[in-house]
Amino acid sequence: MNEIIEVFGFEFMQRAVVAGVVVSSLAAVMGVLMVLKKASFFADAVAHASLTGVAIGVLVGVDPVVAAVIYAVLVAIVIPKKKTESLVPVDSFLGFLLPFSMGMGAILLSVTPGYKPELISFLFGNILAISRFELMIVMLFSVVVGIVFVVMRKQFLLVAFDEVQARVSGLRVKTVEAWFNVLLAITVVIGTKMVGIVLINGLLVIPAATTRLFARNVGQMFMGTPIVAMVMTVLGLWISVVTEMPTGPMIAVTAGMIFLMALGLKSLIIRLR
Amino acid sequence: MPKNEKVIEVNNLTVRYPGMTHTAVEDVSFEVKRGSITTLIGPNGSGKTTIMQALLGLVEFTGEVMIFGRSLREVVEKVGFVPQRFGFDVAFPMSVNEFVGMVVLEGKSDQREKRVKKVLNEVGVGKMTKRMLRELSGGQMQRVLVARALVAKPELLILDEPEAGVDVAGEQSLYDLLEKLAKERDMTVLVASHELDVVYTYADSVVCVNRKLVCSGKPYEVLNQEMFEKIYGRELKFYGHEHHK
């Protein structure tokens, strides 16, 4: 028991827990709507594209997270426009953007002179290495995303759940979607700091999928999902530290294991009824 | 507002979907009077849903569509819509209460809840507020969809084949409800349907389409063997109808 508490006594661990709890709960809430909108591929594309932003940041001397957020927001604004332009179908466009941006990011990082961050830390995340400055940036972006989300939550839910009804109700659906995409892009980028580009979708999808198994209404979904995400993240963090395993993958695996257990429990409950 | 006021006025409506060689709807004109129940009839693929989507601004079109003498954008709060198919994930955890209240974007939550409760009672599903959407039968779901369309207190209600997925008894009680609500709320109703019984029993006027306008007017005046052949083809026999408004 003492060992468990001791681990959380380290400053680097405290920073990681704060960042992890805030970002994972934010990602989880966004994930509820992302899954409803069937926009997982969008989040994946933004995450991969953000590597180019990171590389540009390193190249020009801007904080990589800030540069990646700016780049990802631009991508998030461009992608929905492809929906309405039929020259290239949107899934093909995303299929192009994903490897292109990631490849471009890796190349730019390799030609950047002087100190550069490890590519692997962007692919799989390294939240234990988060600095005070990075934590501050992550918190700042999280607060901005959180405030806009709370203000626009009703519009986001209506557009994500029933776009036709949203249009009939007179909502400017494209504007609402653009705001959501921008918030999602920011969340994805700050989330990659935790679990990396490759695993970020898990942070968005798994807590929502787990909560959905037991929730009976939207209120329970939005209350339960961040709690589930926090448990997954803190548990994953702790296991990674005590087993000296990589943090991002361990958070993703822990989240996956909790989801599988929840699925098993739900199946059992249905069978016993 | 006078009774003969035109609530809907459609002139030369033509819709062509991108990539389609033929028009989904061509040069259709009709009008709907205030306080009436008007049915839009035609076979599958005749353009009923497309016309409704054009009225609601959901598809691009040429021609003119006026609602209460204005463009839809100016009077959007006066229009309620009940879709034919669920464009949403019914399995998503959502209570009836949340589903109906979701379209009320303004106002305090307690006022919203009162409105939702009132309208759910009106359509006869007042005891199901906490039930999940996926637990509802087809008939209950249709009533909940009607409640959602009514919660914004519309003056015009547009319904796209609301009887889809509902049994015969459910269909009749749904239309009885619509007739009652239309009278109580002084509401104009436009309903697309393929049920001819509905036309004779509930409609004040009918608009028949088969990509183009085939007929419009009072059901017992315009519906005859010639019209049915034009709408549905020669295989459908016309037996008239004793009961009409």
Side-chain angles (χ1 to χ4, degrees), chain A residues 266-273:
Chain A
K266 180 72 181 181
S267 307
L268 192 68
I269 291 168
I270 291 170
R271 229 175 275 169
L272 290 175
R273 258 182 208 157

Side-chain angles (χ1 to χ4, degrees), chain A residues 23-24 26-28 30-31 34 40-50 98 122-125 184-207 248-249 251-252 255:
Chain A
V23 175
S24 67
L26 195 65
M30 297 293 292
M34 190 195 78
S40 303
F41 201 15
F42 171 85
D44 238 355
V46 168
H48 285 71
S50 69
L98 201 140
F122 292 107
L123 295 182
F124 295 103
L184 185 58
I186 297 171
T187 309
V188 163
V189 172
I190 56 177
T192 55
K193 192 75 202 155
M194 262 177 76
V195 293
I197 291 162
V198 181
L199 305 173
I200 180 63
N201 241 349
L203 211 62
L204 290 155
V205 175
I206 298 173
I251 291 173

Side-chain angles (χ1 to χ4, degrees), chain A residues 32 36 38 154-155 157-158 161-165 167-172 212 215-219 221, chain B residues 56-58 73 76 81 87-89 91-95 98-99 102-103 105 107 112 132-133 135 148:
Chain A
V32 172
L36 254 181
K38 298 181 174 65
K154 287 180 191 168
Q155 286 88 340
L157 179 64
L158 183 54
F161 187 72
D162 192 347
E163 191 183 318
V164 169
Q165 184 57 46
R167 289 169 72 182
V168 172
S169 300
L171 269 188
R172 293 185 185 277
R212 188 176 165 146
R216 285 190 58 81
N217 54 51
V218 179
M221 272 304 285
Chain B
L56 295 162
L58 299 172
R73 187 161 284 184
V76 73
F81 175 56
F88 48 83
D89 180 1
F92 184 74
M94 184 175 282
S95 67
E98 289 171 331
F99 177 73
M102 192 167 55
V103 295
L105 298 166
R112 186 173 67 237
M132 292 171 85
L133 289 184
E135 293 170 348
R148 184 177 69 161

